[in-house]
Structure formats: structure tokens, C-alpha cells
Amino acid sequence: MGDKRIAEEGRFAGLALAEEELVARVAWCYYHDGLTQNDIGERLGLPRLKISRLLEKGRQSGVIRVQINSRYEGCLRWKPSYSGALV
């Protein structure tokens, strides 16, 4: 059981436990509860900019992973031959 805990702690390297908890709480409110960044900031007593940065940090660290399930997945891939536009 100890090895699993160590692996979990190392999974989000670069985030302190308190910060990881805050990132997870903010992500839950944003993605699960559908609250705006402003609403989350008001509830937690943090500026909206801090909420935005926490969400970005969560994506970069792997705490937050976005998955899109669509039959149009192939159509949504980046097509650089079209001046950088999504096709």
C-alpha cells in the first residue's frame, strides 16, 4: 500500500499537497459543477485570475485532463495546411 501512495504523490510532481488539493477543488467546481471562474473565486475568496492560473497549472501538471468523445474526432485535429485554422 505504501508503494501506491508514493506513486500517487509523485504523479503530480511540482505541486505541493495543499496546492494540489486547491487545484482539484477548483477543477471540480469548474468542470463538474459548471461554476464560472468568478463564482469559484468568490466562494474561495480568491481573485478570478488566480482561479484561471490554478486551472492552467492543473492541466500542465496532469491533475486535469480533458477528453473529448466525438465521432468527429478526426475532423477536429489541427490542420496546419489551412493557415492554422481548425478544420
Side-chain angles (χ1 to χ4, degrees):
M1 188 69 167
D3 290 339
K4 184 177 181 184
R5 195 175 111 223
I6 291 170
E8 283 294 311
E9 289 174 359
R11 193 168 104 190
F12 306 117
L15 287 182
L17 289 177
E19 187 174 39
E20 182 184 333
E21 181 182 357
L22 184 58
V23 166
R25 188 176 305 274
V26 167
W28 185 267
C29 290
Y30 187 73
Y31 291 104
H32 182 269
D33 296 341
L35 298 177
T36 65
Q37 293 178 17
N38 195 51
D39 290 339
I40 298 165
E42 287 177 5
R43 287 183 180 200
L44 298 177
L46 297 170
R48 191 206 56 78
L49 183 59
K50 175 73 173 176
I51 301 302
S52 177
R53 288 182 177 157
L54 286 166
L55 288 168
E56 180 59 28
K57 188 174 279 192
R59 287 187 288 270
Q60 290 177 354
S61 67
V63 171
I64 299 170
R65 293 184 310 172
V66 177
Q67 180 177 343
I68 300 170
N69 297 315
S70 171
R71 62 183 171 166
Y72 298 107
E73 177 185 355
C75 298
L76 300 175
R77 295 192 193 280
W78 186 263
K79 303 270 186 177
S81 60
Y82 294 102
S83 305
L86 288 178
V87 180

